[in-house]
Coordinates of all heavy atoms in Angstrom, one line a residue:
Chain B
P381 N 63.9 221.5 102.7 CA 65.0 221.9 101.9 C 65.4 220.8 100.9 O 66.0 221.1 99.8 CB 66.1 222.3 102.8 CG 65.5 222.5 104.1 CD 64.2 221.7 104.1
T382 N 65.2 219.6 101.2 CA 65.5 218.5 100.3 C 64.5 218.3 99.2 O 64.8 217.5 98.3 CB 65.7 217.2 101.1 OG1 64.5 217.0 101.9 CG2 66.9 217.1 101.9
D383 N 63.4 219.0 99.2 CA 62.5 218.9 98.1 C 63.0 219.8 97.0 O 64.0 220.5 97.2 CB 61.1 219.4 98.6 CG 60.4 218.3 99.5 OD1 60.5 217.1 99.2 OD2 59.8 218.7 100.5
H384 N 62.3 219.8 95.9 CA 62.8 220.5 94.7 C 61.8 221.5 94.2 O 60.6 221.4 94.5 CB 63.1 219.5 93.6 CG 63.9 218.4 94.0 ND1 65.3 218.3 93.8 CD2 63.7 217.3 94.8 CE1 65.8 217.2 94.3 NE2 64.9 216.6 94.9
L385 N 62.2 222.5 93.6 CA 61.4 223.6 93.1 C 61.9 224.1 91.8 O 63.1 224.3 91.6 CB 61.2 224.7 94.1 CG 60.1 225.7 93.9 CD1 59.6 226.2 95.3 CD2 60.6 226.9 93.0
I386 N 60.9 224.3 90.8 CA 61.3 225.0 89.6 C 60.2 225.9 89.2 O 59.0 225.7 89.4 CB 61.5 223.9 88.4 CG1 62.1 224.6 87.2 CG2 60.2 223.1 88.1 CD1 62.6 223.6 86.1
T387 N 60.6 227.1 88.6 CA 59.6 228.0 88.2 C 60.0 228.7 86.9 O 61.0 228.3 86.3 CB 59.4 229.1 89.3 OG1 58.4 230.0 89.0 CG2 60.7 229.9 89.5
A388 N 59.2 229.7 86.5 CA 59.4 230.4 85.2 C 60.4 231.6 85.5 O 61.3 231.5 86.3 CB 58.1 230.8 84.6
Y389 N 60.1 232.7 84.9 CA 61.0 233.8 85.0 C 60.8 234.8 86.1 O 61.6 235.7 86.3 CB 61.1 234.5 83.6 CG 59.8 234.9 83.1 CD1 59.0 235.8 83.7 CD2 59.4 234.3 81.8 CE1 57.8 236.2 83.1 CE2 58.2 234.7 81.3 CZ 57.4 235.6 81.9 OH 56.2 236.0 81.3
R390 N 59.7 234.6 86.8 CA 59.4 235.6 87.9 C 60.0 234.9 89.2 O 59.3 234.5 90.1 CB 57.9 235.8 88.1 CG 57.6 237.0 88.9 CD 56.0 237.3 88.9 NE 55.5 237.4 87.5 CZ 55.7 238.5 86.8 NH1 56.3 239.6 87.3 NH2 55.2 238.5 85.5
A391 N 61.4 234.8 89.1 CA 62.0 233.8 90.0 C 62.8 234.4 91.2 O 63.3 233.6 92.0 CB 62.9 233.0 89.2
H392 N 63.0 235.7 91.3 CA 63.9 236.2 92.3 C 63.5 235.8 93.7 O 64.3 235.5 94.5 CB 64.0 237.7 92.2 CG 64.2 238.3 90.8 ND1 63.9 239.6 90.5 CD2 64.8 237.7 89.8 CE1 64.2 239.8 89.2 NE2 64.8 238.7 88.7
G393 N 62.2 235.9 94.0 CA 61.7 235.5 95.3 C 62.0 234.1 95.6 O 62.5 233.8 96.7
F394 N 61.8 233.2 94.7 CA 62.1 231.8 94.9 C 63.6 231.5 95.1 O 64.1 230.7 95.8 CB 61.5 230.9 93.8 CG 60.0 230.9 93.8 CD1 59.4 231.7 92.9 CD2 59.3 230.1 94.7 CE1 57.9 231.7 92.8 CE2 58.0 230.1 94.7 CZ 57.2 230.9 93.7
T395 N 64.4 232.3 94.3 CA 65.9 232.1 94.4 C 66.3 232.4 95.8 O 67.1 231.7 96.4 CB 66.6 233.1 93.4 OG1 65.9 233.0 92.1 CG2 68.0 232.7 93.3
F396 N 65.6 233.4 96.4 CA 66.0 233.8 97.8 C 65.5 232.7 98.8 O 66.2 232.3 99.6 CB 65.4 235.2 98.2 CG 65.6 235.5 99.6 CD1 66.8 235.9 100.1 CD2 64.5 235.5 100.5 CE1 67.0 236.2 101.4 CE2 64.6 235.8 101.8 CZ 65.9 236.2 102.3
T397 N 64.2 232.3 98.7 CA 63.6 231.4 99.6 C 64.3 230.0 99.5 O 64.3 229.2 100.5 CB 62.1 231.2 99.5 OG1 61.8 230.9 98.1 CG2 61.4 232.5 99.9
R398 N 64.9 229.8 98.4 CA 65.6 228.4 98.2 C 67.0 228.5 98.7 O 67.8 227.5 98.6 CB 65.6 228.0 96.7 CG 64.2 227.4 96.3 CD 64.2 225.9 96.4 NE 63.6 225.4 97.6 CZ 63.6 224.1 98.0 NH1 64.2 223.2 97.1 NH2 63.1 223.7 99.1

Side-chain angles (χ1 to χ4, degrees):
Chain B
T382 46
D383 289 320
H384 307 260
L385 194 148
I386 188 170
T387 185
Y389 49 64
R390 200 174 301 282
H392 311 155
F394 292 102
T395 314
F396 173 73
T397 53
R398 283 264 95 188

